[in-house]
Amino acid sequence: MKILGIETSCDETAASVVEDGRIILSNVVVSQIDIFAAYGGVIPELAARSHLEAILPVIDKALRDASCTWADIDAIAVTHAPGLLGSLLIGTLTARTLAILHNKPLYPVHHLKSHVYANWLEPENPGTLLYEPCPDGNPPANKEGSPDFPLLALVISGGHTQILYMAAPNNFKIIGTTHDDAVGECFDKIAKILGLPYPGGPSIATAAKKGNPAKYHFPHPKVANLDFSFSGLKTAVLRTAQEISGGNFRTPSHELAGKLTEEQKNDIAASFEDTATDILIEKLQAAKAEYPAATCAIIAGGASANALLREKLKNHEIKGQPLCPALGIPVYFPAKNLSGDNGAMVAAAADAEIKSGVQPANPYKVNILPRTPIV
Ligand code: KG4
Ligand code: ZN
């Protein structure tokens, strides 16, 4: 089954043709990063306008790259929730129109489900999907190399930070969520304080490579259960930046970058990244302890591209302490180019929904749901 996946929930216009939920026949992503770097963040109206310009050429290219005509496409999938209202509208209305025009079944898909299913896509560059049995000798959960159920999914993006328990395909239970900022949002806001370019995740990671992660000690939030909080960490970074740049706690955040040295910025970036990734892993460990039946963990969403997080989980250690047996299960990441928003993951999610009996939507009636949770 070949599905055309369309994604426009934020600032990437993307389309992809995927076969059987795994094999990527084409994957076209037009990013608006260059536009928004100048503003330091996404401007929703500009994003929607850019999607409008790009969407049809992007879909045409996805079909051409896959050597497909409309006759070869079995279904259309589109992100209809959650995301920026104007951005979601462009993708969803385009998908609705194409479904009616070409008489194809239409599947509206939740964005976080798509990020999760990116872990089943076959990487375009073999070897980028990490599959690491625990060094304590635990056998890999699944010899085929794709995640098996039940599993834990850590979803870390610009808008969400959640731990999900999936007892079976297309079965999502939220077991942990953030009380305030998402971790990706925290990277973006701290990058802004440090005067690093948008998006913050990759620029913090680059600065952190040159810094000392032990220089500053940022607090771990005291949040009960499997929930997260990142606003305290963000404030702690702000206070540290104010303190080392002259000790005036009234200095507005937008003036701080000019008062910090490169070395100070790099050390803050490294200490923050180290703390944020430790927090994520600690919660994943706690989730495994609460859900011992989980056979593996998958990491999903834009921040899953983070190399330090991958490194810590790959080496099964956090600050010299072994992760095993607390985690002790294989951990999967999407290929790096599938961590961020793309159409292939949308098609993969629709494929999983179809296999679990979900029926197509009425293309005249599909609505966008900018703020709806995964379940
Ligand atoms: O999934 P995504 O592309 O869009 C949303 O659904 O939000 O995630 C974007 C987020 C941004 O906050 C970005 O800073 C973060 O993912 N991100 C990273 C890295 N690359 C992107 N965060 C940490 N480290 C990275 N290497
Ligand atoms: Zn996303």
Side-chain angles (χ1 to χ4, degrees):
M1 178 172 214
K2 288 186 182 132
I3 301 182
L4 170 71
I6 299 172
E7 155 62 39
T8 63
S9 67
C10 188
D11 59 348
E12 262 97 22
T13 317
S16 165
V17 179
V18 173
E19 193 162 11
D20 294 331
R22 288 182 304 114
I23 302 153
I24 299 173
L25 301 182
S26 65
N27 190 22
V28 182
V29 181
V30 172
S31 171
Q32 301 169 8
I33 281 179
D34 290 349
I35 302 173
F36 296 124
Y39 300 97
V42 177
I43 299 182
E45 288 78 7
L46 267 187
R49 219 176 302 159
S50 305
H51 285 309
L52 192 55
E53 283 169 14
I55 186 79
L56 290 178
V58 163
I59 291 172
D60 273 349
K61 182 159 167 49
L63 291 173
R64 256 184 293 122
D65 287 0
S67 303
C68 285
T69 65
W70 279 105
D72 302 312
I73 299 298
D74 298 298
I76 299 175
V78 66
T79 312
H80 77 129
L84 299 174
L85 188 149
S87 294
L88 287 170
L89 262 181
I90 304 299
T92 304
L93 287 176
T94 305
R96 284 174 52 173
T97 310
L98 291 172
I100 294 165
L101 193 64
H102 298 287
N103 198 21
K104 304 289 174 188
L106 176 64
Y107 293 88
V109 172
H110 192 283
H111 187 59
L112 297 191
K113 291 186 184 176
S114 303
H115 274 305
V116 166
Y117 283 109
N119 279 278
W120 277 264
L121 288 165
E122 289 187 0
E124 283 146 304
N125 313 307
T128 44
L129 190 66
L130 288 183
Y131 183 73
E132 295 290 330
C134 185
D136 71 359
N138 284 357
N142 178 343
K143 298 266 189 307
E144 261 71 60
S146 61
D148 212 350
F149 297 92
L151 60 78
L152 294 164
L154 174 67
V155 182
I156 43 178
S157 71
H160 293 84
T161 302
Q162 291 187 332
I163 305 182
L164 310 169
Y165 183 71
M166 294 182 73
N170 202 31
N171 181 322
F172 297 88
K173 178 178 164 195
I174 302 172
I175 59 172
T177 195
T178 180
H179 290 192
D180 38 59
D181 290 353
V183 66
E185 186 183 359
C186 193
F187 271 83
D188 294 336
K189 287 176 176 170
I190 287 171
K192 231 174 179 179
I193 294 173
L194 300 179
L196 302 173
Y198 173 86
S203 48
I204 292 263
T206 305
K209 277 200 201 121
K210 297 172 264 171
N212 172 7
K215 178 80 185 186
Y216 303 109
H217 296 282
F218 296 129
H220 286 215
K222 303 257 181 304
V223 189
N225 309 324
L226 301 175
D227 286 346
F228 298 91
S229 165
F230 285 99
S231 70
L233 176 57
K234 182 188 63 191
T235 307
V237 170
L238 174 65
R239 295 285 173 256
T240 300
Q242 287 168 325
E243 190 182 343
I244 62 178
S245 66
N248 181 355
F249 291 104
R250 292 186 169 194
T251 310
S253 58
H254 65 270
E255 285 179 15
L256 284 168
K259 298 178 190 285
L260 295 168
T261 65
E262 281 306 297
E263 191 184 343
Q264 287 171 327
K265 289 182 191 177
N266 295 340
D267 288 344
I268 289 179
S271 303
F272 159 69
E273 189 188 41
D274 191 44
T275 308
T277 49
D278 279 1
I279 292 168
L280 294 173
I281 294 172
E282 280 162 13
K283 287 290 177 176
L284 200 52
Q285 280 180 301
K288 174 65 176 82
E290 248 183 71
Y291 291 81
T295 58
C296 67
I298 63 179
I299 318 294
S304 72
N306 187 272
L308 181 65
L309 181 66
R310 288 176 180 235
E311 194 60 23
K312 284 180 178 177
L313 285 167
K314 189 176 161 198
N315 294 331
H316 297 275
E317 64 168 51
I318 166 169
K319 297 237 165 65
Q321 297 296 315
L323 268 185
C324 292
L327 202 54
I329 46 175
V331 179
Y332 294 85
F333 287 83
K336 272 207 173 164
N337 65 328
L338 301 172
S339 291
D341 296 346
N342 63 82
M345 66 185 194
V346 181
D351 191 273
E353 293 197 354
I354 293 166
K355 284 177 180 146
S356 46
V358 173
Q359 294 299 309
N362 180 340
Y364 290 93
K365 288 197 173 159
V366 171
N367 269 327
I368 57 155
L369 302 167
R371 298 182 67 83
T372 202
I374 192 166
V375 276

